[in-house]
Amino acid sequence: MNCLSIPLEIIQIKSDVSDNFSYLVYCPTSGIGIVIDPSSSAKKILKKIDELELDIFYVVNTHGHEDHVQGNNLILENTIARLAAHPQDVPDAVIALTEGSSLPPQNGTIHILHTPGHTPGSICLHIPPNNIITGDTLFVTKVGRADLPGSSPEDLYTSLQRLAAFPPDTRIFPGHDYGPTPSSTIEFEKANNPYLQCKTLEEFIRLRMG
Ligand SMILES: [Zn+2]
């Protein structure tokens, strides 16, 4: 059974106590889904899972920062899900997600991009045909911090260049509600995000670290 066949539904869930976004991504045919960055919204997400009668196979973290992983256990304890993330950020992940990985792990529908910079093990999830969950790498009109332990502004620049190369109508779903809208497109970001308008790495580093 191909458990996550496209098109997948994407539900964006805003935390009640912070500006974090969590995501519930599921196949409306099979009812199988994944939870991304449960954050402080785990209870709210469990309620939604119940309502939609979903079977959650994976909890995925875009990176290891506390505000993104803090809801993991509540989801893992109340579903059959296994934890999936990049091992550099989340060493206890049962399923290691690295460049070229997919979910489900064998020839899956969801493709993993390793996008270091904000943290060494940051990932983005490409959900065909044209959606990317961008974590703290790319926000609406902003980008992730690159001055934290483990951050690399050089890597962040490269990761953002990769995202910017996706088709203009690609929809981006960020890890925080920092922009004028909760989600946007690559086209909008190229036109409105100053960090995507930097022509060189040096210019990017001046803007991001200055
Ligand atoms: Zn972060």
Side-chain angles (χ1 to χ4, degrees):
M1 180 179 69
N2 186 1
C3 50
L4 283 169
S5 51
I6 42 177
L8 296 171
E9 297 283 341
I10 300 174
I11 299 182
Q12 184 182 53
I13 296 160
K14 173 89 182 278
S15 167
D16 294 327
V17 296
S18 69
D19 49 31
N20 284 76
F21 281 134
S22 304
Y23 295 92
L24 190 51
V25 177
Y26 67 97
C27 169
T29 313
S30 65
I32 288 168
I34 72 173
V35 171
I36 301 166
D37 290 350
S39 177
S40 50
S41 301
K43 277 192 185 153
K44 208 190 215 182
I45 296 168
L46 285 173
K47 207 166 149 246
K48 200 80 196 159
I49 291 168
D50 258 6
E51 259 171 52
L52 295 166
E53 298 181 359
L54 301 178
D55 293 314
I56 300 302
F57 275 27
Y58 310 102
V59 170
V60 180
N61 293 130
T62 58
H63 63 296
H65 283 158
E66 179 60 23
D67 57 323
H68 294 257
V69 305
Q70 68 185 123
N72 284 3
N73 285 343
L74 199 58
I75 305 289
L76 294 170
E77 284 160 11
N78 286 282
T79 65
I80 56 168
R82 291 178 295 161
L83 184 59
H86 196 287
Q88 271 178 282
D89 265 39
V90 185
D92 59 336
V94 178
I95 297 166
L97 298 179
T98 57
E99 177 63 31
S101 296
S102 72
L103 282 173
Q106 304 301 327
N107 301 314
T109 310
I110 298 173
H111 305 123
I112 305 302
L113 312 171
H114 181 210
T115 49
H118 176 64
T119 65
S122 285
I123 58 167
C124 293
L125 291 84
H126 181 219
I127 300 170
N130 60 348
N131 306 288
I132 305 182
I133 309 283
T134 56
D136 284 7
T137 299
L138 176 60
F139 303 120
V140 177
T141 69
K142 297 179 182 64
V143 300
R145 285 176 65 176
D147 59 341
L148 303 168
S151 292
S152 160
E154 291 83 3
D155 286 351
L156 184 59
Y157 180 73
T158 307
S159 294
L160 290 167
Q161 299 277 99
R162 281 190 75 189
L163 295 178
F166 274 81
D169 66 343
T170 305
R171 185 146 281 278
I172 67 139
F173 294 93
H176 289 270
D177 189 10
Y178 286 160
T181 53
S183 70
S184 76
T185 60
I186 291 297
E187 183 176 31
F188 180 87
E189 292 310 309
K190 280 174 142 173
N192 296 285
N193 189 325
Y195 298 97
L196 292 196
Q197 291 166 347
C198 294
K199 298 273 182 287
T200 62
L201 170 63
E202 290 67 33
E203 191 185 339
F204 175 78
I205 289 177
R206 267 199 308 276
L207 183 63
R208 179 65 287 196
M209 309 301 278

